[in-house]
Amino acid sequence: MVFFFPIWWSGEPAILKGWLDRVLTPGFAYKRNGKKIDGLLAGKTADLFLTSNGKSIFYKMFGSTVTRWKYFILRYCGMKLNHSFVLGEMDTKKMTPSYLQNYMEKCSSTIPTIK
């Protein structure tokens, strides 16, 4: 699975959160086995491509959205996070068309080809 979304208030937009709540449900994405949780999406992988007005270094230093997705959403369901990229400082002069093009090329070279 590939997810592209902006980071709003240290998390995903509400519509994506709602999708997670409706799709990653018990019996489909995970099941309880006594005190243990079995991820039913084992063998599946995900990539995260995020944008933010904050500096991307903060997400590398403190985790936040990527850490929560890796451990508490994806891994909980048995999925592995392949790649995560955060494009920060979206509201600065740093965001030139060529800078954005480089980010998109980085993203597209990371996503596996669908056959």
Side-chain angles (χ1 to χ4, degrees), residues 54-108:
K55 293 185 177 196
S56 57
I57 189 73
F58 294 129
Y59 298 101
K60 291 177 183 172
M61 291 172 52
F62 302 111
S64 183
T65 308
V66 173
T67 302
R68 189 170 55 82
W69 271 70
K70 180 177 181 177
Y71 295 104
F72 302 117
I73 297 173
L74 300 174
R75 188 175 287 176
Y76 195 85
C77 298
M79 298 178 73
K80 179 185 176 231
L81 177 62
N82 278 336
H83 303 96
S84 63
F85 297 110
V86 179
L87 180 63
E89 300 179 86
M90 290 292 295
D91 61 346
T92 66
K93 292 178 184 177
K94 178 179 174 180
M95 288 301 124
T96 63
S98 64
Y99 190 85
L100 293 172
Q101 182 65 38
N102 287 338
Y103 179 75
M104 291 308 298
E105 288 172 8
K106 182 178 182 180
C107 295
S108 65

